[in-house]
């Protein structure tokens, strides 16, 4: 029974966030977290997912301090479980939230730590996002040389990703569209 409650609460929190209802998402995640006590036999990464949803709800509601705390808690859980890519994404979200809250010193500290963890984990996409945020913070702080260096490194990473050929889109086919009103002409000219 607790597994289903947690599963449905997580699904409800996601749907609530999609419909811009942070209060409903917070209520759902609090209910689910009540079931995740010491007797929980399921995957502990579920707690990380719940805390990440809770952090997103706090961010949407404008309580950035609580959002950062929950992002940190979720990242720590994912790191303990060995899910490093998810932990890095949550650290990025915490840095972006700190920047949104105009906490430039905290953002700078979080971005520098995130750059190092992204490099060590080989997460190029997250590293590129951290570098862009770092360049913004550096430029806003008047350190234009450091900002340019961050942007240059981000561009190098982007060029390395572009080198892979994109999947080709097939030509032709048939498009079927439902129309409310009848269409008299079938020729586009």
């Amino acid at each position: 029974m607790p597994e289903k409650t947690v599963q449905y609460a997580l699904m409800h929190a996601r749907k609530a966030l999609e419909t811009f209802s942070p209060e409903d998402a917070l209520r759902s995640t609090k209910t689910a977290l009540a079931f995740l006590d010491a007797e929980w036999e399921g995957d502990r990464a579920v707690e990380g997912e719940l805390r990440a949803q809770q952090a997103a709800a706090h961010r949407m509601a404008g309580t950035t301090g609580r959002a950062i705390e929950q992002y940190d808690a979720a990242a720590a859980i994912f790191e303990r479980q060995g899910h490093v890519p998810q932990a890095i994404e949550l650290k990025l979200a915490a840095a972006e939230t700190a920047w949104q809250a105009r906490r430039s010193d905290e953002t700078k500290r979080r971005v520098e730590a995130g750059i190092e963890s992204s490099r060590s984990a080989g997460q190029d996409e997250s590293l590129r996002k951290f570098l862009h945020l770092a360049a913004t913070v550096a430029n806003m702080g008047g350190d234009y040389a450091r900002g340019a260096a961050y942007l240059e490194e981000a561009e190098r990473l982007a060029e390395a990703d572009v080198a892979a050929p994109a999947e080709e889109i097939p030509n032709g086919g048939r498009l079927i569209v439902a129309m409310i009103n009848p269409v008299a002409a079938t020729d586009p000219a």
Side-chain angles (χ1 to χ4, degrees), residues 11 14-15 32 51 64 78 91 93 98 110 125-126 133-134 136 138-139 146 157-158 162 169-170 178-179 184 189:
M11 286 185 347
R14 287 181 183 139
K15 290 293 182 188
R51 293 202 182 275
T64 54
F78 279 122
K91 288 178 181 181
R110 288 179 177 278
E125 182 65 29
S126 296
L133 186 56
T136 302
N139 285 333
R146 177 177 272 174
L157 287 171
V162 173
I169 299 173
M179 302 295 283

Side-chain angles (χ1 to χ4, degrees), residues 16-17 19-27 56-62:
L17 287 174
T19 59
F20 301 102
S21 179
E23 295 84 12
D24 289 343
L26 287 170
R27 186 173 46 251
H58 278 297
R59 184 177 181 182
M60 187 180 289

